[in-house]
Amino acid sequence: MAQDVMTVEDVEVDGSNPKGGIISVWTLNRPDKLNALNTESHKAIKKECARVNSDDNVRCIVIKGATPLEPREGKRPKPHAFAAGADISEFAGKDSDDVRPFFEDNAWEAVWNVSKPTIAMVDGFALGGGTELALSCDIRLASERSTFGQPEINLGLIPGGGGTQRLCRLVGYGRAMEIVLSGGMVGAEDALSMGIVNRIVPNDDLEEETMKLATEISKKSPHVTKVAKRAVRGALELPFSEGVLMERSEFVALFDTEDKEIGVTAFLERSDAEWVGK
Ligand code: COA
């Protein structure tokens, strides 16, 4: 890769069981372009998604944007960003045949399909594909200076990374329509009141709060976090009565795992559960 468009740091989870658990922290690394997602970013994200799905050590994934670089002399500083969208410079002159293969195998869907818990740590602009990347994660924490939006309509486009669908399920039809049709920006407070983000955190505390949550999740049984994610996800995809049946079946199946016995015994003995992950 010519430039590291995304850096990956695997952070050890202190006290995780089974031993060796890690939180994989992915930093979108094009701060001069507000971390806009280009073809290389998509490739890097998809590659990491495949890796964490098959690496039993990875408990949780955190996605964030690189912080702005020191401005060059005479230049104004760039703003903080999670990702200011797909890289618009890659859209010029392209027709549908050019973009279809890329959009049929994209990073937003790869992140959505990660089997483990994912957290978007949003600090600054999350626009277009940036909002969509955050929406592909399970949980979103945002700093006070964050801004969301789907401005594709201003480019003669609509969201193409699942934004219309995921946003609608998260905030409801009317609000999703307003965001998509107006292309307007949504500040952190409004994003919180709509349910786009789980929590707003003071700018300087975002990293710590995000890692605290990732650590908390990572200390659960890695088998059960996957089952829990699958079950909650079912609520988006299944009719209600089928969803309830699916949940019951997942719940009952957990009674054949070692971790259920470990968790229940630890509660009864007032000790810490030492999960084995199966
Ligand atoms: N794709 C490619 N480059 C982008 C980008 C994107 N989505 N968003 C920002 N950039 C680049 C700018 O071209 C600029 O590059 P340059 O310094 O080499 O000229 C750099 O990032 C900084 O952006 P700039 O526009 O100068 O910052 P700003 O503070 O004036 O404005 C935004 C910030 C987020 C309001 C503005 O960059 C913007 O509207 N970006 C596009 C958002 C968008 O439409 N996203 C949806 C894409 S589908």
Side-chain angles (χ1 to χ4, degrees):
M1 217 176 287
Q3 178 206 1
D4 268 342
V5 294
M6 185 171 90
T7 56
V8 175
E9 190 193 358
D10 285 339
V11 179
E12 280 186 29
V13 183
D14 184 29
S16 95
N17 284 299
K19 298 278 182 255
I22 47 183
I23 300 165
S24 194
V25 181
W26 306 350
T27 305
L28 305 168
N29 189 31
R30 301 183 71 217
D32 269 349
K33 298 290 177 190
L34 311 192
N35 303 317
L37 303 165
N38 64 6
T39 304
E40 291 304 314
S41 318
H42 276 258
K43 277 190 201 156
I45 294 171
K46 286 191 291 180
K47 185 170 157 229
E48 284 309 309
C49 288
R51 179 181 74 92
V52 297
N53 275 332
S54 63
D55 183 344
D56 285 344
N57 270 344
V58 177
R59 304 280 189 269
C60 182
I61 294 94
V62 171
I63 307 182
K64 63 180 191 166
T67 46
L69 303 170
E70 279 297 310
R72 281 189 297 267
E73 211 178 313
K75 298 279 180 190
R76 69 189 166 101
K78 304 262 159 98
H80 285 78
F82 174 70
D87 190 319
I88 299 169
S89 68
E90 292 189 350
F91 288 178
K94 299 249 175 87
D95 67 17
S96 60
D97 287 336
D98 296 327
V99 299
R100 189 174 297 109
F102 175 85
F103 275 82
E104 282 175 354
D105 178 25
N106 64 61
W108 300 289
E109 246 27 67
V111 170
W112 182 248
N113 289 322
V114 166
S115 58
K116 302 172 182 187
T118 51
I119 303 175
M121 176 186 136
V122 177
D123 184 17
F125 286 111
L127 298 175
T131 282
E132 288 175 301
L133 185 61
L135 294 176
S136 287
C137 293
D138 301 317
I139 294 169
R140 285 151 291 284
L141 300 191
S143 65
E144 290 162 334
R145 65 185 153 211
S146 295
T147 307
F148 296 79
Q150 298 289 169
E152 291 88 346
I153 201 141
N154 300 325
L155 305 169
L157 288 167
I158 64 167
T164 58
Q165 304 305 297
R166 284 189 262 271
L167 194 59
C168 196
R169 279 162 171 76
L170 202 56
V171 305
Y173 180 83
R175 285 167 169 159
M177 272 297 185
E178 184 176 344
I179 292 168
V180 170
L181 291 176
S182 73
M185 304 239 187
V186 179
E189 287 292 342
D190 285 340
L192 178 66
S193 71
M194 285 184 207
I196 294 178
V197 298
N198 296 51
R199 213 185 304 163
I200 304 176
V201 179
N203 301 334
D204 293 340
D205 299 344
L206 182 63
E207 182 114 32
E208 191 184 330
E209 284 296 314
T210 306
M211 292 310 285
K212 212 193 277 178
L213 178 60
T215 302
E216 196 180 316
I217 291 170
S218 297
K219 287 185 177 177
K220 313 297 182 208
S221 156
H223 174 65
V224 183
T225 53
K226 281 204 266 185
V227 175
K229 174 165 175 170
R230 203 160 61 219
V232 177
R233 181 68 62 84
L236 296 179
E237 289 169 356
L238 296 171
F240 182 79
S241 51
E242 275 181 42
V244 171
L245 290 179
M246 173 275 298
E247 181 202 83
R248 188 184 310 156
S249 146
E250 294 278 18
F251 173 82
V252 169
L254 288 172
F255 278 70
D256 293 335
T257 64
E258 290 177 43
D259 277 349
K260 172 258 161 189
E261 210 53 35
I262 288 167
V264 170
T265 306
F267 175 80
L268 295 174
E269 292 177 351
R270 298 182 186 278
S271 60
D272 289 336
E274 298 206 359
W275 311 114
V276 293
K278 55 190 178 175

